[in-house]
Amino acid sequence: MKKFENSQGKDIIQETVKNVLSRIVAPENAKQKIREYWIPAFLNGEKYLDRQIKEALSGVDWDWPELIEWLQRFRKENEFPYMWEPCLRYFDKIPRIKTSIEDYQIKRWFEESPEEIKTKANDLPLNIKYYYLKLFHSNYPLAYNEDDFPNPELIRELVKWNIVREATKPADRLVITDYHLVQKVSKTAGLRAVGKKEDLINCLVDSSKEMELSKMLDDLGVPSGENNYIPNQRKEFSVENAFENVGSVDSSYDSDDEVDIDLDDPNLPLSLELALYNLLSHTLSMSCYTAREIEQAVNSGFVKKMQVLATDNSTSYCLKRQKIYKIDELREKSPPWFPGCRCSLLAEF
């Protein structure tokens, strides 16, 4: 893979990645992780760049509206891009990618829930039900930052339905605090400072009045807990399985592995997520290569036109756009035309 070493090339890559990410819906901190992980790997010419996407988006609620729009378009034309093959059978039967994943997960979590959770879940709106079951069955992390949710309105709804609480009470503030600071609080309170974090917190709460403990936490610089949320109900996990299945994908995944979508496969949503990570990474790579080639042509001073070349197994959409363009036209709109497009550019001298 080609490396881009000059600062101007890096600027182009950063701007291109920013533009592609503006077309997906995800928390800003997740997009920032993509920029932090993916761009250096791309600039260094590393392979398997979908792993950087996986690391940034695993466990994150995100959506790709642009992909949905193109899915609907290609359905009407009864053809699909080559890069969509890992997801093709799935796309061909289910119109909404993210929604279908959520429906599947809701069904699975619901079946695994105790009766009291099922009863409450049945009274909830669909989007709230999804988060209620998700938070109940998630054993990690202990608390969620506001950036872990798509928008503030959802957080307010979860609080209203008594599904999460803001971590502002002393006990909750200690939960989101690192162990060493909890030890410091215990020492200040004249209590033992050795043992499990949970035991230290229980000891502090039992031996101190809430207002006194709250002031002590303020004095020692313990986070206020604002904008952090703790689920009010949570499935109990044993020590043995407490950190199993953290995240939403199989860590053994390798992008060289063939991804086969089976609608009866219980791991279907995970397979689809992996395929989407690969598709997003491919779209970022193609966008960056195209942007760089156009910029090099402009800087050369003598390349005025470039030819768009469609590859084997191209869609009719790509084939119709396989022609010579002026540089200015390509600076306005250039391949990849859609997620997974493999069209390339060739300078015309």
Side-chain angles (χ1 to χ4, degrees):
M1 185 178 290
K2 184 168 57 177
K3 295 176 68 173
F4 297 125
E5 298 176 350
N6 61 68
S7 58
Q8 183 184 31
K10 291 180 181 178
D11 291 342
I12 294 167
I13 300 308
Q14 290 171 348
E15 186 60 32
T16 301
V17 169
K18 180 180 178 181
N19 182 46
V20 174
L21 295 183
S22 70
R23 303 197 294 273
I24 72 169
V25 178
E28 184 53 40
N29 64 334
K31 293 185 180 183
Q32 181 59 32
K33 285 182 181 179
I34 294 177
R35 292 191 286 268
E36 291 176 359
Y37 302 159
W38 191 90
I39 292 177
F42 177 81
L43 291 171
N44 289 332
E46 295 181 18
K47 298 193 298 181
Y48 311 127
L49 294 172
D50 50 333
R51 292 173 178 172
Q52 319 301 328
I53 305 297
K54 172 187 169 184
E55 187 173 352
L57 291 181
S58 290
V60 173
D61 287 302
W62 69 288
D63 205 356
W64 200 350
E66 180 186 29
L67 182 62
I68 300 297
E69 294 172 4
W70 280 101
L71 171 59
Q72 294 169 345
R73 177 170 188 154
F74 284 126
R75 275 189 166 177
K76 291 179 180 178
E77 298 174 359
N78 197 29
E79 65 172 350
F80 296 92
Y82 174 81
M83 286 299 298
W84 289 23
E85 285 190 3
C87 326
L88 191 54
R89 279 182 285 159
Y90 191 86
F91 286 171
D92 192 43
K93 295 180 184 293
I94 303 175
R96 284 290 299 178
I97 298 171
K98 182 174 179 295
T99 302
S100 59
I101 294 175
E102 291 184 357
D103 288 345
Y104 176 91
Q105 290 175 326
I106 286 174
K107 181 179 178 182
R108 185 184 64 183
W109 288 330
F110 187 84
E111 291 173 349
E112 296 173 356
S113 299
E115 286 304 317
E116 62 176 304
I117 301 301
K118 291 180 180 179
T119 300
K120 180 171 180 176
N122 282 330
D123 295 332
L124 297 173
L126 186 60
N127 64 322
I128 304 300
K129 180 178 181 179
Y130 169 75
Y131 277 93
Y132 174 55
L133 293 172
K134 175 180 179 178
L135 295 174
F136 176 78
H137 285 278
S138 298
N139 57 305
Y140 182 84
L142 297 177
Y144 295 82
N145 186 272
E146 63 177 2
D147 291 335
D148 294 321
F149 300 97
N151 56 64
E153 290 76 17
L154 174 61
I155 298 174
R156 286 193 286 270
E157 285 293 306
L158 293 174
V159 172
K160 184 184 80 173
W161 285 97
N162 198 33
I163 293 170
V164 299
R165 64 184 184 274
E166 195 168 21
T168 53
K169 289 189 174 182
D172 291 339
R173 291 172 64 182
L174 289 167
V175 167
I176 66 172
T177 301
D178 67 73
Y179 178 69
H180 296 297
L181 190 48
V182 173
Q183 285 183 307
K184 184 177 180 180
V185 175
S186 297
K187 290 178 181 178
T188 303
L191 303 172
R192 66 184 179 88
V194 178
K196 294 181 180 180
K197 180 180 176 181
E198 180 182 357
D199 293 339
L200 298 185
I201 293 174
N202 289 336
C203 189
L204 280 164
V205 173
D206 292 341
S207 61
S208 308
K209 292 182 179 180
E210 185 170 317
M211 289 186 64
E212 293 175 353
L213 182 55
S214 182
K215 184 178 185 306
M216 186 190 304
L217 299 185
D218 291 338
D219 293 341
L220 293 174
V222 173
S224 67
E226 293 180 358
N227 302 325
N228 287 275
Y229 299 87
I230 295 178
N232 286 321
Q233 290 178 289
R234 200 159 219 163
K235 183 178 179 180
E236 291 186 6
F237 290 83
S238 66
V239 174
E240 288 75 18
N241 70 5
F243 291 97
E244 286 183 358
N245 301 322
V246 174
S248 63
V249 293
D250 178 6
S251 60
S252 65
Y253 168 74
D254 189 304
S255 56
D256 276 346
D257 295 341
E258 181 180 355
V259 182
D260 187 23
I261 301 299
D262 179 358
L263 288 173
D264 297 321
D265 180 2
N267 295 315
L268 176 59
L270 309 188
S271 300
L272 178 62
E273 284 292 312
L274 295 174
L276 292 178
Y277 297 155
N278 183 60
L279 190 60
L280 178 55
S281 181
H282 176 272
T283 302
L284 285 167
S285 295
M286 293 301 293
S287 299
C288 288
Y289 281 125
T290 297
R292 181 59 178 154
E293 289 168 1
I294 293 172
E295 197 65 21
Q296 287 177 335
V298 171
N299 293 337
S300 71
F302 55 83
V303 176
K304 304 300 180 183
K305 297 180 180 180
M306 300 187 81
Q307 184 175 3
V308 171
L309 299 175
T311 59
D312 294 340
N313 302 315
S314 289
T315 63
S316 57
Y317 186 92
C318 292
L319 293 173
K320 290 175 183 176
R321 284 154 184 79
Q322 183 172 242
K323 59 181 181 180
I324 296 174
Y325 294 82
K326 295 179 181 178
I327 292 294
D328 289 342
E329 292 177 310
L330 292 173
R331 296 184 81 177
E332 290 294 323
K333 179 66 176 176
S334 62
W337 307 116
F338 50 81
C341 172
R342 297 180 298 146
C343 289
S344 59
L345 297 178
L346 179 65
E348 287 287 316
F349 298 99

